[in-house]
Amino acid sequence: MYLQWLIDLAGDAVVLAAGGLLIGMLFGACAQSSKFCLRSAVIEFSHALPGSKFAI
């Protein structure tokens, strides 16, 4: 595969940890910039009042 050389160089645990960190940072940045809050969206949806937190 494409990342086999990286896994051979650093090991499985390091590559998986780095991948998880990268995905988490990307998700966090996207969630922060869109101001999406799952808890607030669920509350707004349950009250049938879609507002700013239910933007997606």
Side-chain angles (χ1 to χ4, degrees):
M1 294 269 279
Y2 298 114
L3 295 177
Q4 188 62 40
W5 64 272
L6 186 59
I7 293 171
D8 291 339
L9 180 68
D12 294 342
V14 175
V15 173
L16 288 173
L21 181 65
L22 179 65
I23 291 170
M25 289 177 68
L26 286 173
F27 177 78
C30 291
Q32 185 72 23
S33 67
S34 70
K35 295 180 177 62
F36 178 72
C37 179
L38 183 60
R39 181 183 159 273
S40 297
V42 168
I43 291 170
E44 287 180 357
F45 183 76
S46 69
H47 292 169
L49 298 170
S52 64
K53 300 296 183 193
F54 198 68
I56 294 180

